Amino acid sequence: MDKQGRVVEQLKAEVAAAKASEDAETDEKYEVEGNQPVRLIQFPKGFLETLERFPKHASRATMNRLGRLAAGEPGAFQEIKQLKAYPGVLRARVSDKYRLLFCLEPDHLRVLDLIRRADLDDRIERLKKSGLPAIS
């Protein structure tokens, strides 16, 4: 293997280790059983402004994932994590650096926030202190 190939393999290993560390610290795997119902999406107040603060690729990926989750598409539920610190809250990776926080209710998908991965720990602390944000 040439030098460039070794560098690429090393970077892949570092990314895999970081992802495993991220999951071990904050999340538990969330298993979805059976077919999922169609759910209406509930957005928090100001979510459009939240989307506008992020890069377009992250906003598009977020809306794509939300649509698939709300439609009950089985593939959309792969690799969803449940926050250890806040068991009712789920996390989905929507882009390399961005995470969607949401709750699944019987007939609604409740969006909590879109955050940078680096801000996850701070957001969890805010959830613990203030509870789930209101939907309006």
Side-chain angles (χ1 to χ4, degrees):
M1 184 179 298
D2 65 354
K3 185 176 179 179
Q4 185 178 9
R6 285 192 300 270
V7 169
V8 169
E9 290 302 316
Q10 182 180 1
L11 289 173
K12 285 181 182 178
E14 289 173 8
V15 168
K19 185 175 186 251
S21 173
E22 167 189 328
D23 291 345
E25 293 172 9
T26 57
D27 303 331
E28 297 175 350
K29 187 169 178 138
Y30 182 77
E31 296 290 331
V32 176
E33 297 179 12
N35 292 329
Q36 291 296 303
V38 173
R39 293 178 170 98
L40 294 178
I41 302 173
Q42 289 182 318
F43 293 101
K45 183 177 181 179
F47 192 69
L48 179 60
E49 290 79 18
T50 299
L51 285 175
E52 290 172 347
R53 287 194 317 260
F54 288 94
K56 287 191 186 285
H57 78 277
S59 297
R60 285 187 183 116
T62 299
M63 293 307 295
N64 183 312
R65 186 75 181 255
L66 283 170
R68 293 173 56 218
L69 287 165
E73 182 182 314
F77 290 88
Q78 293 177 350
E79 297 191 30
I80 287 180
K81 307 293 182 182
Q82 180 172 297
L83 299 182
K84 286 181 183 177
Y86 216 108
V89 177
L90 303 176
R91 172 187 69 84
R93 181 177 186 239
V94 293
S95 182
D96 58 338
K97 297 178 185 175
Y98 304 98
R99 304 298 184 261
L100 174 67
L101 301 179
F102 64 98
C103 298
L104 288 178
E105 298 174 1
D107 56 353
H108 288 84
L109 185 153
R110 183 175 180 191
V111 177
L112 301 178
D113 209 351
L114 174 64
I115 60 169
R116 289 182 29 239
R117 165 57 189 113
D119 298 333
L120 181 59
D121 294 332
D122 292 337
R123 187 64 174 107
I124 290 171
E125 287 304 313
R126 286 196 330 252
L127 279 173
K128 285 183 190 178
K129 290 178 183 174
S130 64
L132 297 177
I135 300 292
S136 55

